Each structure stands twice: as C-alpha cells, then as structure tokens.
C-alpha cells in the first residue's frame, strides 16, 4: 500500500531545515487580522503564500472579498485559491487553512519576540501563527515540494483555499465558498482542514466536530470624556462600574452560564454519546500540562471533555477603553466596551442565543438603574459542526496516522471554532475532515505559541501520506 511513502518521508526529513526556514519567513509577517493597522501585513502574508505556490507550479488566484463589514474604509484581505494538478483520473482534495494570526505583543508576556521564530534545544519552535495556522498551511506546500524533489507523482489534484480573516470570524468567506462550490471547487471529492490540535502531546487524532462561536460587545458610556476620579469620583455614574456588574452576571466561577434559557437549547446527552468519552486517550494531567496549572473546573476526564466539546461555555475576554497599563492612573473612563463570547453546541441556533443574550444583558443593566447608556451587539457568529467520521476521507487519514505515528488515532471533537467548516460541508455536499498537526501544549492564541519541530516535520509526512491513502480508497459517493 502506498509504496512511495518511504521515499517521500526520506525527502521530507532531508528538507526539514528548508521547511523550517519557510515557516520562519511566514511567522515574520505579523498578519494580525484583528488589528486594522496590520491589514497591509495580512495582505503581504497572502502574497507570500501566492508567490510560494506559484514557484511550486500551482495555478493561483488572489480573489478580493470586498470591504470589511462595519469598517468600510478597510478592504478584506484577498482569499488565496490555488490548484495543483488537473488529472481527471485522480481524486481532488480541497484543503482550507488561514494565514492570519491572533494579536501578539512582547508586553503580553512572551519570552521571545512573537514574530521571530525561535527554536529551543527541545525543538520547540516559538512564534505567533506557528501552530495556528501557518505551520499546517505550509505543510501542504511542503508536501508538494517534497514530492517534486523526490520525483514522486503527486497522488491527487489539490485545491487550496487560504483565507486571511479566520481569527476575526471569517468575514466575507461564506459568500465566496457558496459562490465557488459549483465553480472553482466543483470537482472536490472531499475536504481536509488542518487547523486544530491533539488532545495531548503523544496521541494524534482525527476531529469530526467543532463548537460554534458567538462574539459580543457591551458598550457602556456616560460622561462626554474621561474624568479625574478625584474631582468627579462620587458625583458621576461610572460606565466601568456598570460594565463590571453586567459582565460579572454572565457566568460564575465554575463556568456556569447565568443567562436564563441558554441551557435549554443544548441537545440532551444520549447513552451512546456518553459511552464514547471513556475510551479517549486523555488524562487530567494532559489538561494540567496545557493549562500550566491545576485550576481545572472538573476533576474527571469525562466531564472535562464534555465541557470542552458538547456543552457551551462563556468567556470574558477584555475591556476596550479601560486603563490597563502598569502603574496607577486615577481616571474614570468615559466609555468602555466589554467583550465576551459564547462557544455554542448542538442544537443552539445563533439567532436564539443572540435573543437570550440581548434580553438578559439589557435586563441586568436596567436593574442597575444607571443613567449611563448600554448597547449590546454581536460582533460575529460562526455555527457549530458535527459530522460522521464513517467516510473514506477519515479512513484514509486513519491509515496515514498509523503509518506516520504508529498508532490508531482517537476520534475527537474540538472546543474551538472554524466557522467555515460547516459552510464547506453544506456548499460542496462533501465530507469534511479535520486533521490536526499541533499538540495540546502549543498555546494557540496565548503567549509563547509554538509548534514542535517533530509535529511539523511528521505533520508534513502525515498530510502527504493522507493524500496517498485518499488516492487508494475505493471511490464511493459522498
Ligand atoms: C480552532 C482554530 N484554530 C481557531 O483558533 N479558531 C478561532 C476562530 C474564531 C472564532 N471567533 C474568532 N475566531 C477560535 O476558535 O477562537
Ligand atoms: Zn486556526
Ligand atoms: Zn486561532
């Protein structure tokens, strides 16, 4: 089976230095989608990918996605689409990834410069975007190049779709995918996304579910400008005081969401589903290792996994406009915007969630009897996704994991969100597989994000092996 894989693997090992240099170049571009000032860098990152793909012989297009909603002065970064191979006798796999990253500042507590890839003696490659999602995106390019250098025929036609706004809710991409499903993506036989993580550090997994994400702002304003707290403290109603009270009413210390009616939207747990959790390779120590502490809410694996995968959670993210620098500043902020999000699960409809959130926040604010003004709004929403792993796409990926890592993968769901996964499934009608490269300790979105060299290099082998096994799977519909 897949006889050329050993030659391919040897080639990947031989090119590992080159592949790390490619990741270094990508990490050096600070493509932060949430920062308007960084938009030229996001565009530059898309250009970097397009140039690399063209140099590998792919047909590449950079398609504009129009203006950013609510920020009409800003163009959305182009989506980079590409095709490598157009052989009617081969299967066609559509892969998706994102080239934007979360914000990262030294003062957040990074030990190394976030946009300088820094490799330590344990082979940990630190840098923003290393695991989420520049390493996996480059994995597809590296796989093409290793095949070329080894003189091994590429086993499938590869369609690629790389976007620059995933960390900001994939703005503009749903319409694009819907429009291209029967055009540019028409011959895709299945979809593969490498943009999530293993549950621990040793056992690979294939993922068939994601939570959705509804992201909200609460804006509270009152005074016409920031005030001196000595002069005006005690005489003006303070927006920050109101905001803290509203935000503290959303969730308790044990993660219980306090918005009435929300838990009624959640699909009940069945016995069949309950029985799946026990067999998953995951321990509380895995959790503590990735948390960097023992501050988990539950003491057992089953409830921890369920809380991550199949129940909603509400997280408070920050307050725009509030004093946050070191030291002491005696200011009363005039306007503050609190940010929180709800990770949603089957069967929560985003519009039902919005309705409950608005009603509750407005009710809590009204109960404060404040003279300030409160506005609650949705910033972006992406829906949850759960699919069947009983499909040749998953079978091929399972064989690839066994070949590269020597173990059968766990079938997992993921607590994070990739909003376009459901869109790809619905628009193309094809099976979607999530095939992660990084591990649970990679600290995506956090300080000191990293990708282990082992996961990157073996991950490049994995993506290539998956494509070889896809080519061998008997053709069935779906
Ligand atoms: C899992 C994926 N790598 C990821 O990090 N997704 C983001 C998507 C998102 C949703 N709202 C804003 N970004 C996530 O789960 O936070
Ligand atoms: Zn990601
Ligand atoms: Zn992310």
């Amino acid at each position: 089976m897949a006889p050329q894989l050993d030659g391919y693997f040897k080639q990947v090992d031989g090119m590992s230095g080159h592949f790390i240099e490619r990741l270094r170049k990508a990490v050096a571009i600070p493509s932060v989608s949430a920062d308007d000032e960084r938009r030229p860098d996001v565009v530059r990152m898309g250009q970097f990918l397009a140039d690399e793909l063209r140099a590998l012989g792919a047909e590449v297009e950079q398609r504009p996605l129009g203006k950013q909603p609510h920020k009409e002065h800003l163009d959305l970064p182009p989506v980079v689409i590409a095709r490598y191979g157009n052989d009617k006798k081969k299967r066609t796999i559509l892969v998706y990834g994102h080239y934007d990253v979360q914000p990262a500042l030294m003062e957040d507590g990074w030990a190394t410069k976030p946009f300088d890839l820094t490799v330590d003696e344990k082979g940990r490659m630190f840098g923003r975007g290393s695991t989420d999602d520049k390493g996996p995106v480059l994995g597809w390019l590296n796989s093409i190049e290793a095949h070329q250098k080894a003189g091994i025929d590429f086993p499938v036609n590869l369609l690629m779709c790389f976007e620059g706004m995933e960390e900001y809710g994939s703005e503009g991409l749903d319409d694009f995918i819907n429009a291209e499903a029967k055009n540019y993506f028409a011959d895709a036989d299945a979809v593969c996304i490498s943009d999530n993580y293993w549950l621990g550090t040793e056992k690979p997994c294939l993922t068939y579910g994601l939570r959705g994400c509804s992201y909200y702002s609460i804006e509270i304003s009152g005074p016409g400008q920031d005030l001196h707290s000595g002069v005006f403290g005690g005489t003006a109603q303070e927006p920050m005081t109101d905001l803290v009270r509203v935000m503290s009413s959303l969730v308790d210390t044990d993660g219980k969401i306090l918005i009435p009616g929300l838990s009624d939207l959640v699909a009940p747990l069945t016995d069949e589903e309950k029985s799946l959790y026990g067999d998953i390779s995951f321990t509380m120590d895995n959790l503590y290792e990735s948390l960097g502490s023992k501050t988990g809410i539950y003491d057992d694996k089953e409830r921890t996994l369920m809380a991550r995968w199949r129940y909603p959670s509400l997280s408070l993210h920050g307050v725009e406009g509030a004093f946050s620098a070191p030291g002491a500043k005696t200011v009363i902020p005039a306007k503050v915007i609190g940010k929180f999000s709800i990770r949603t699960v089957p069967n929560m409809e985003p519009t039902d969630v919005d309705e409950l959130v608005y009603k509750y926040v407005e009710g809590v604010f009204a109960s404060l009897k404040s003279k300030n003004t409160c506005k609650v709004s949705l910033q972006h929403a992406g829906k949850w996704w759960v699919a069947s792993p009983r499909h040749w796409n998953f079978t091929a990926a399972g064989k690839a994991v066994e070949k590269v890592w020597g173990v059968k993968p766990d079938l997992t769901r993921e607590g994070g969100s990739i909003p376009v996964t459901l869109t790809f499934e619905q628009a193309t009608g094809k099976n979607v597989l999530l095939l992660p490269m990084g591990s649970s300790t990679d600290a995506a979105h956090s300080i000191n994000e990293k990708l282990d060299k082992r996961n990157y290099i073996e991950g490049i082998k994995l993506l290539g092996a998956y494509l070889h096994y896809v080519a061998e799977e008997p053709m069935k519909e779906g």
Side-chain angles (χ1 to χ4, degrees):
M1 289 298 216
Q4 291 141 316
L5 278 179
D6 292 335
Y8 167 66
F9 291 173
K10 208 164 152 219
Q11 188 69 43
V12 172
D13 283 329
M15 294 177 79
S16 61
H18 171 62
F19 294 150
I20 291 169
E21 281 316 300
R22 181 175 272 148
L23 182 59
R24 189 185 305 284
K25 286 184 198 155
V27 167
I29 304 173
S31 50
V32 179
S33 49
D35 182 348
D36 298 357
E37 305 290 308
R38 291 283 192 203
R39 189 56 50 87
D41 291 314
V42 184
V43 173
R44 191 154 62 91
M45 181 63 210
Q47 186 63 46
F48 168 82
L49 272 183
D51 291 345
E52 294 284 296
L53 281 161
R54 283 192 186 105
L56 292 170
E59 294 162 30
V60 188
E61 292 181 39
Q62 287 147 283
R63 295 276 193 92
L65 290 177
K67 298 284 178 199
Q68 182 164 339
H70 313 297
K71 294 189 180 180
E72 297 301 321
H73 62 288
L74 265 186
D75 283 323
L76 290 167
V79 55
V80 178
I81 52 173
R83 168 183 283 278
Y84 184 71
N86 202 352
D87 181 343
K88 294 278 171 281
K89 294 185 291 304
K90 290 179 180 173
R91 273 206 166 126
T92 301
I93 296 298
L94 167 59
V95 301
Y96 158 88
H98 62 93
Y99 61 80
D100 62 319
V101 295
Q102 288 278 326
L105 298 169
M106 253 341 247
E107 52 268 36
D108 294 338
W110 281 74
T112 57
K113 289 190 184 150
F115 299 106
D116 283 356
L117 192 77
T118 308
V119 188
D120 76 359
E121 66 295 343
K122 291 184 178 157
R124 297 179 297 185
M125 304 190 293
F126 293 95
R128 177 56 94 222
S130 52
T131 194
D132 184 13
D133 184 34
K134 291 180 175 179
V137 164
L138 295 183
W140 297 111
L141 278 65
N142 296 338
S143 173
I144 293 174
E145 193 177 18
H147 278 85
Q148 290 175 346
K149 290 273 159 48
I152 298 170
D153 185 39
F154 205 68
V156 300
N157 305 312
L158 201 64
L159 283 173
M160 289 158 268
C161 176
F162 300 135
E163 70 152 318
M165 284 303 279
E166 197 269 353
E167 301 290 12
Y168 204 81
S170 292
E171 298 206 313
L173 202 65
D174 274 355
D175 290 346
F176 176 81
I177 295 167
N178 283 318
E180 294 302 333
K182 299 287 173 267
N183 293 298
Y184 199 88
F185 303 140
D187 59 335
D189 293 305
V191 182
C192 180
I193 298 176
S194 186
D195 184 24
N196 68 304
Y197 325 98
W198 298 355
L199 267 183
T201 53
E202 294 305 317
K203 182 102 184 268
C205 58
L206 308 180
T207 305
Y208 63 94
L210 291 161
R211 292 197 290 184
C213 183
S214 296
Y215 200 108
Y216 301 93
S217 305
I218 305 173
E219 180 183 309
I220 300 189
S221 55
Q225 67 281 315
D226 289 358
L227 302 171
H228 187 303
S229 68
V231 180
F232 297 102
T235 61
Q237 291 197 325
E238 300 192 14
M240 186 72 171
T241 309
D242 292 348
L243 183 67
V244 167
R245 295 188 64 190
V246 174
M247 288 185 83
S248 70
S249 73
L250 295 170
V251 64
D252 76 11
T253 303
D254 286 330
K256 183 168 178 252
I257 301 176
L258 304 174
I259 301 171
L262 212 84
S263 59
D264 301 339
L265 305 176
V266 178
L269 179 66
T270 62
D271 287 341
E272 191 198 349
E273 188 200 324
K274 208 171 166 192
S275 69
L276 297 176
Y277 294 94
D279 290 339
I280 304 286
S281 299
F282 175 77
T283 64
M284 293 309 289
D285 285 333
N286 289 141
L287 176 75
Y288 301 146
E289 189 183 5
S290 27
L291 284 182
S293 71
K294 287 200 167 186
T295 52
I297 291 177
Y298 303 104
D299 294 328
D300 64 289
K301 145 183 162 177
E302 278 81 2
R303 277 192 302 170
T304 298
L305 287 178
M306 282 190 219
R308 184 183 293 187
W309 293 351
R310 65 106 51 226
Y311 286 117
S313 59
L314 189 155
S315 301
L316 306 179
H317 301 298
V319 179
E320 194 179 319
F323 168 60
S324 64
K329 182 179 175 190
T330 49
V331 68
I332 299 171
K335 181 171 97 176
V336 280
I337 307 172
K339 317 278 176 80
F340 71 98
S341 72
I342 300 179
R343 296 288 171 168
T344 55
V345 296
N347 298 320
M348 300 169 83
E349 282 300 327
T351 48
D352 294 342
V353 175
D354 296 347
E355 218 173 287
L356 292 172
V357 166
Y358 298 157
K359 191 173 163 214
Y360 180 69
V361 169
E362 283 159 8
V364 173
F365 181 73
S367 74
L368 301 180
K369 302 200 185 322
S370 169
K371 291 177 185 158
N372 291 322
T373 306
C374 174
K375 279 188 271 179
V376 52
S377 55
L378 177 78
Q379 280 199 16
H380 56 253
K383 219 181 156 189
W384 46 266
W385 165 80
V386 182
S388 168
R390 289 189 202 89
H391 190 276
W392 56 258
N393 201 22
F394 279 77
T395 310
K399 287 179 185 168
V401 167
E402 282 199 70
K403 176 78 182 170
V404 172
W405 292 102
V407 284
K408 266 194 194 318
D410 274 333
L411 287 173
T412 63
R413 281 163 67 171
E414 164 70 54
S417 314
I418 307 174
V420 296
T421 309
L422 180 68
T423 318
F424 275 115
E425 183 183 274
Q426 291 179 336
T428 64
K430 302 297 174 184
N431 179 268
V432 185
L433 153 80
L434 302 191
L435 182 55
M437 178 183 268
S439 83
S440 64
T441 52
D442 284 356
H445 293 206
S446 178
I447 56 167
N448 306 324
E449 175 181 347
K450 58 95 176 151
L451 176 62
D452 293 331
K453 188 176 158 194
R454 180 175 84 129
N455 282 60
Y456 184 47
I457 301 305
E458 299 308 296
I460 297 164
K461 295 178 190 172
L462 177 71
L463 299 184
Y466 154 71
L467 297 175
H468 279 268
Y469 287 113
V470 155
E472 287 182 352
E473 281 297 309
M475 196 57 120
K476 283 175 232 133
E477 263 323 287

